[in-house]
Amino acid sequence: SDTLMAIECFAQEANAYDLLKLYDSVIVVKEKAAMLYSSIGRKDMAAQTLGTAVSAAVAIGKLDKAERFVSEYETYSGLFDEKGYIEEGREIYYYIKGQYYLSIGLLDSAEAMFRREQSLGQDINDQIACSRGLMEPYEARGVQDSMAKYANLSYQLNDSAYLLSEMENLQRLRVSYDYS
């Protein structure tokens, strides 16, 4: 419907604030969009919108809001199965939740989330995120060899992602050339 599309467009404004690292503004826009979704009976969309604001709340230390956003997202978004696993293709959430756990000092829980992403994540971006994430609990614990292991893995995966991106660009260029 037009109302849903209008709210979605409004919620997308938060992406610009996110790129500018204006995290307070991200939260304001996402909370307003969630309120608008709720006002038309779309608690699921409201929860999904708040779920995308967890990282912004963590970034500026608004951990009470981050906790509320996590809870709403997991309870009302409709994206989780009965065992608490998110639907396929959205595994990056485990990284976000891991970051939240790190921010409140729950290192074991953070590590569990990063490992869940590592085992279930579908693409190279998931693998980069979880290797970066896994480095952090070890860094906090002062376990240098594990920290180095995941830092190196993150570096290698970033390198692979760059090469993959370049290959895709070359393929597009070739298709464009062959077409003309």
Side-chain angles (χ1 to χ4, degrees), residues 17-154:
Y17 292 124
D18 194 46
L19 288 171
L20 295 168
K21 299 186 184 333
L22 298 172
Y23 301 121
D24 276 323
S25 297
V26 170
I27 293 168
V28 167
V29 169
K30 292 292 187 170
E31 285 183 318
K32 175 72 173 172
M35 186 189 76
L36 292 168
Y37 279 126
S38 290
S39 75
I40 61 167
R42 291 303 306 263
K43 187 100 171 139
D44 60 332
M45 298 294 288
Q48 289 173 32
T49 298
L50 292 176
T52 61
V54 173
S55 295
V58 167
I60 57 175
K62 292 192 173 185
L63 303 181
D64 54 333
K65 281 191 187 274
E67 180 181 16
R68 183 171 59 85
F69 296 165
V70 164
S71 176
E72 296 255 334
Y73 187 62
E74 292 182 4
T75 304
Y76 301 110
S77 70
L79 300 175
F80 293 83
D81 67 18
E82 63 282 347
K83 293 180 182 175
Y85 288 90
I86 199 163
E87 83 179 18
E88 192 174 315
R90 297 178 184 264
E91 294 85 2
I92 196 69
Y93 175 70
Y94 299 131
Y95 174 78
I96 293 166
K97 189 169 183 184
Q99 290 295 313
Y100 165 69
Y101 280 145
L102 280 177
S103 73
I104 60 172
L106 296 176
L107 301 182
D108 290 344
S109 297
E111 184 178 345
M113 285 295 108
F114 298 138
R115 291 204 182 280
R116 184 179 288 186
E117 183 177 12
Q118 185 179 40
S119 67
L120 300 174
Q122 301 293 316
D123 64 26
I124 196 157
N125 294 320
D126 286 313
Q127 297 305 312
I128 290 169
C130 74
S131 62
R132 252 191 227 137
L134 282 166
M135 184 177 67
E136 294 179 52
Y138 290 113
E139 185 176 12
R141 292 180 186 121
V143 183
Q144 298 299 319
D145 58 338
S146 293
M147 190 181 90
K149 171 186 169 182
Y150 289 110
N152 188 40
L153 180 59
S154 178

